[in-house]
Amino acid sequence: MTADPAARIVAGMVLDIRPAHLSDPAVRELVAYHQRDMLAMSPPGTSFALDESGLSGPGITLLGAWRGQVLVGIGAMKRLSADSAELKSMRTHADHLGRGVASAVLDRLIAIARAEGISRLSLETGTNERFAPAVALYAKRGFFAGEAFADYANGPHNQCYHLALAPAAT
C-alpha cells in the first residue's frame, strides 16, 4: 500500500480511487459507455443505468479509479434514505477487466457507506450470464439475493441484492 489513502495496489498496479466529476470528459465517456452497454445487453425496459443527469443529483457519491492519468473504472452510490443506499454505475473499462478494479471501487464505496451510517447497501442487476462476474463479486463481499427495493421488481431479467453493514469502528 502506498502512503496515499486513496491509492490501492491491485494486480501490480497502483489505483487512485477518488471522487469523480462529470466535468471530466473521461468520466462522461465511461458513464455513457456503461449506459449504452447496459441498454444493449438488457431487454427493453429492464436497464436502470443512470445517465449523467442521474449521477449528478443530490445524494450521489461518484468515484473513479485512475491508473496514473487513465480512468479505469467508476462506481456510484445513491442515498435512498438516512440509513440505506444503492450501488449504481459500477463499470470497469474493458481494457482493465479482471484486474481488481471493480473490487477496489466496491470496497471504497462500502467503506464510505459504513462511515456515513448506512446500514443497508442494495443493488439491482441483470440475470443473464454477462452479469455473472458482477454477481460473483457482490456475493464475495457478502451481498445476498433478496426482495426488490425502491422502484425495482425482481423478475426474469432483474434481481436485487443487499448487504447489511455494521457501523464503522471508531
Side-chain angles (χ1 to χ4, degrees):
M1 193 66 95
T2 66
D4 181 351
R8 179 170 171 177
I9 298 174
V10 177
M13 64 180 167
V14 176
L15 290 180
D16 181 17
I17 301 170
R18 63 181 188 266
H21 303 283
L22 292 167
S23 59
D24 181 332
V27 172
R28 287 195 315 271
E29 183 179 311
L30 193 51
V31 167
Y33 170 73
H34 175 66
Q35 188 175 38
R36 283 191 313 271
D37 191 49
M38 291 297 96
L39 287 170
M41 64 189 249
S42 303
T46 64
S47 175
F48 302 100
L50 294 179
D51 61 10
E52 287 182 39
S53 66
L55 289 171
S56 63
I60 299 286
T61 298
L62 178 61
L63 298 180
W66 282 265
R67 180 177 182 202
Q69 299 300 311
V70 177
L71 179 66
V72 297
I74 57 171
M77 182 176 68
K78 177 182 179 182
R79 265 207 189 260
L80 301 175
S81 70
D83 64 349
S84 68
E86 174 185 6
L87 290 178
K88 296 296 295 182
S89 301
M90 293 290 295
R91 172 59 68 159
T92 299
H93 188 282
D95 294 342
H96 298 276
L97 291 171
R99 297 182 183 171
V101 173
S103 293
V105 172
L106 178 59
D107 289 346
R108 184 62 53 86
L109 286 168
I110 290 171
I112 290 169
R114 186 173 279 121
E116 292 182 0
I118 299 295
S119 61
R120 181 169 130 158
L121 192 54
S122 301
L123 65 97
E124 176 278 333
T125 191
T127 59
N128 74 45
E129 67 281 348
R130 288 199 51 203
F131 292 97
V135 170
L137 171 63
Y138 299 133
K140 186 175 179 181
R141 294 301 187 279
F143 283 83
F144 59 91
E147 74 281 357
F149 66 98
D151 294 328
Y152 300 115
N154 284 328
H157 305 292
N158 300 85
Q159 55 190 333
C160 295
Y161 286 80
H162 309 282
L163 176 67
L165 295 175
T170 55

